[in-house]
């Protein structure tokens, strides 16, 4: 009998046979699932990190396409994303401006120098609005680089929340020495071409 009613479901309702379209059954199941599943409100760290991912879509360099949000308590003070200085060409439009860096230990890494990093832009944006970031938390997708770590240290930001680790750990070392707390949401390493 069921085979003769494709796209429908037969249910017994008080000794009656009723034909329900599967679309209606699916809608009822979805509604019931939502009712039974308790909504979990995101923490403030999860909320601000979600904003980081939205802001990162404004980034103009696909090597990480990073963003940063600076917040104190439950209030966003500023945000920034990786991008070229105003009026300059963007990586997404003209390609990367890659420089090879040889480190003290002899290892080499490659960096795009066309753009300003998200963390420095977030701090600069707060400063342009005359907002103090001392005691604030910075949220970002990866461990800050050396330059951004130094900017964070000088600004008085007390905590950095990252999703992933950067492939070089000098920035983390600078923040640790300065007493800036670093929290990682995962153990993953940020990867992109030609690190």
């Amino acid at each position: 009998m069921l085979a003769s009613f494709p796209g429908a479901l037969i249910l017994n309702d008080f000794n009656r046979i009723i034909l329900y379209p599967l679309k209606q059954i699916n809608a009822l199941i979805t509604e019931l699932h939502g009712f039974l599943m308790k909504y979990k409100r995101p923490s403030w760290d999860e909320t601000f990190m979600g904003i980081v991912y939205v802001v990162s879509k404004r980034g103009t360099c696909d090597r990480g396409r990073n963003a940063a949000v600076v917040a104190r308590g439950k209030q966003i003070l500023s945000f920034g994303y990786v991008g070229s200085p105003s009026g300059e060409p963007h990586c997404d439009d003209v390609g990367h401006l890659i420089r090879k860096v040889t480190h003290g230990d002899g290892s080499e890494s490659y960096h795009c120098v066309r753009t300003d990093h998200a963390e420095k832009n977030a701090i600069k944006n707060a400063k342009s609005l005359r907002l103090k970031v001392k005691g604030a938390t910075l949220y970002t997708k990866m461990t800050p680089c050396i330059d951004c770590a130094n900017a964070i240290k000088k600004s008085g930001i007390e905590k950095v929340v990252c999703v992933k680790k950067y492939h070089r750990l000098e920035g983390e070392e600078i923040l640790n020495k300065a007493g800036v707390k670093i929290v990682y949401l995962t153990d993953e390493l940020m990867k992109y071409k030609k690190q």
Side-chain angles (χ1 to χ4, degrees):
M1 187 87 171
L2 284 175
S4 63
F5 295 105
L9 181 68
I10 298 175
L11 297 176
N12 187 341
D13 181 27
F14 300 106
N15 294 326
R16 293 182 299 159
I17 296 179
I18 302 174
L19 187 65
Y20 289 100
L22 283 179
K23 188 174 182 179
Q24 185 178 354
I25 296 293
N26 285 335
L28 290 170
I29 290 171
T30 301
E31 186 178 338
L32 181 60
H33 181 275
F35 177 76
L36 295 176
M37 299 301 296
K38 185 172 167 52
Y39 173 75
K40 182 185 177 290
R41 188 174 181 195
S43 69
W44 283 106
D45 282 351
E46 292 167 334
T47 299
F48 293 135
M49 195 57 74
I51 295 168
V52 164
Y53 277 86
V54 171
V55 173
S56 73
K57 293 177 182 183
R58 294 274 313 147
T60 63
C61 180
D62 64 2
R63 288 175 56 88
R65 209 172 296 278
N66 199 14
V69 170
V70 179
R72 186 182 300 111
K74 301 174 186 174
Q75 181 66 50
I76 293 174
L77 302 175
S78 69
F79 65 83
Y81 52 86
V82 63
S84 297
S86 184
E88 296 295 320
H90 298 290
C91 295
D92 289 347
D93 299 331
V94 298
H96 299 290
L97 185 58
I98 300 292
R99 296 290 184 259
K100 180 171 81 170
V101 176
T102 304
H103 302 277
D105 63 3
S107 65
E108 296 175 344
S109 61
Y110 297 86
H111 300 271
C112 180
V113 295
R114 184 178 304 285
T115 60
D116 293 329
H117 288 185
E119 301 91 332
K120 286 176 78 172
N121 281 334
I123 293 167
K124 180 185 77 178
N125 291 341
K127 188 175 181 179
S128 73
L129 296 170
R130 297 189 174 146
L131 296 172
K132 306 268 188 229
V133 296
K134 185 175 183 176
T137 299
L138 184 139
Y139 296 85
T140 188
K141 290 167 67 175
M142 66 184 109
T143 314
C145 70
I146 294 172
D147 291 339
C148 291
N150 280 319
I152 290 166
K153 177 177 78 170
K154 289 175 189 172
S155 74
I157 288 172
E158 292 181 352
K159 180 179 172 186
V160 175
V161 178
C162 310
V163 177
K164 298 179 181 182
K165 292 188 179 222
Y166 188 59
H167 65 277
R168 305 278 316 169
L169 297 179
E170 294 94 345
E172 181 177 345
E173 292 167 6
I174 289 167
L175 295 175
N176 282 330
K177 285 180 185 174
V180 177
K181 182 178 180 181
I182 304 173
V183 176
Y184 291 101
L185 301 180
T186 70
D187 290 330
E188 293 179 49
L189 183 67
M190 189 69 179
K191 293 185 180 190
Y192 43 87
K193 290 180 183 177
K194 208 169 186 180
Q195 287 181 303

